[in-house]
Amino acid sequence: MILKNSRTLPGQNHKKKMKINQDSLSIKKNLCNQNDWHLFGIFDGHGQSGHLVSQFVSRQLLKAIENQLVQNNINNPNYFSQSLQIAFQQVENDLVDKTTIACNFSGSTGVVILLIGQRIYCANVGDSRAVYFYKSQDLWYNRPLSYDHKPNKTFEYKRIIRFGGRVEQSLIDGKRQGAFRVWLANEDIPGLAMSRSFGDIAAKSVGVIADPEILRYKIQNNGFILLASDGLWDKMDFENIQKILDQLDPPFTQLDIDLVVQKLLGETQQKWDQQDSGRDDITLILVHVQI
């Protein structure tokens, strides 16, 4: 049995004016008419057309994954991973070649969970994130289901350098500071703070890719899958999240999940308001998995 809920909150600029929400999400229970196949996805757009990119990807990726699962041979031991891999590449190609969305300097993250019975397949590009939280003998544990794709990570860095790009911090007041970013060899563009994404055509010329990293996990304890854009992860650490989850007593109801999602969103918003003049978009999906 699964219980789930999702919420999204648009960001604000430093003048507290509401921005266009560039986050999107996808939820599909009973994928391919299978009672224990479910899909969840978070997509965080960036750049002027980022909201259009994330909306396109959230719609089309769900369809593409389902189509691949129908078409591919289920007896293939890599059936789920290959279906995800092909679907991600298909949506990337369609975005660039078949839409009028201006994505030279705009793009989107994408983190997708396929929940297949007691198995989790997580496909990720960018820095939205999925984590599995579970409790055992009164102690909380967390299992990362995805890892952020940052350009200064060794494997990502080597690819970008091999394609002729640069990985440096921004030059501000004569000093390199802030997040590491991807730049063209001889131009200070695009300044992308991730090494994988949908769209971002300019960055693709120097090694940014839309190929997902796919990780698998077998569920052995009842727990919670939390997917969220970096608007949540930038402010909420695992301890904050686990304290909120700890307020629940099993057996859980849908109302319990709704209240936890509301608290997660509210506490994240509060931290943004206390610590920053602006606020990033915040989007999350919480799924309770009972084996």
Side-chain angles (χ1 to χ4, degrees), residues 12-40:
Q12 294 179 341
N13 63 22
H14 67 283
K15 296 182 179 180
K16 303 299 183 185
K17 182 178 179 181
M18 201 75 74
K19 299 189 296 184
I20 294 174
N21 192 340
Q22 295 192 300
D23 287 357
S24 300
L25 60 86
S26 293
I27 296 175
K28 180 67 180 291
K29 294 180 67 175
N30 304 325
L31 199 66
C32 301
N33 296 317
Q34 300 294 317
N35 291 333
D36 61 348
W37 292 16
H38 313 289
L39 180 146
F40 309 94

Side-chain angles (χ1 to χ4, degrees), residues 25-93:
L25 60 86
S26 293
I27 296 175
K28 180 67 180 291
K29 294 180 67 175
N30 304 325
L31 199 66
C32 301
N33 296 317
Q34 300 294 317
N35 291 333
D36 61 348
W37 292 16
H38 313 289
L39 180 146
F40 309 94
I42 295 281
F43 310 91
D44 182 355
H46 51 263
Q48 188 170 359
S49 302
H51 58 297
L52 300 177
V53 178
S54 74
Q55 290 166 12
F56 176 84
V57 174
S58 68
R59 292 193 306 268
Q60 298 304 315
L61 190 57
L62 191 158
K63 298 176 185 177
I65 291 171
E66 193 158 30
N67 288 340
Q68 287 300 320
L69 291 172
V70 170
Q71 294 172 18
N72 291 342
N73 181 4
I74 195 169
N75 295 316
N76 179 344
N78 296 316
Y79 169 70
F80 293 106
S81 296
Q82 285 186 0
S83 296
L84 288 165
Q85 191 84 37
I86 294 169
F88 268 63
Q89 193 57 60
Q90 178 186 326
V91 171
E92 166 73 1
N93 293 341

Side-chain angles (χ1 to χ4, degrees), residues 165-230:
R166 289 184 291 129
V167 176
E168 295 178 340
Q169 295 166 295
S170 298
L171 187 62
I172 303 173
D173 297 329
K175 295 182 179 180
R176 294 285 177 187
Q177 51 188 298
F180 283 88
R181 298 177 180 273
V182 179
W183 311 91
L184 302 188
N186 300 309
E187 297 181 79
D188 285 337
I189 57 174
L192 186 65
M194 65 192 72
S195 53
R196 302 192 192 196
S197 69
F198 290 98
D200 292 306
I201 297 172
K204 295 293 162 65
S205 66
V206 289
V208 172
I209 58 177
D211 299 347
E213 181 179 26
I214 300 174
L215 301 178
R216 293 176 291 180
Y217 178 62
K218 185 175 181 180
I219 300 169
Q220 297 178 322
N221 302 82
N222 295 344
F224 299 88
I225 301 171
L226 177 61
L227 302 87
S229 59
D230 64 352

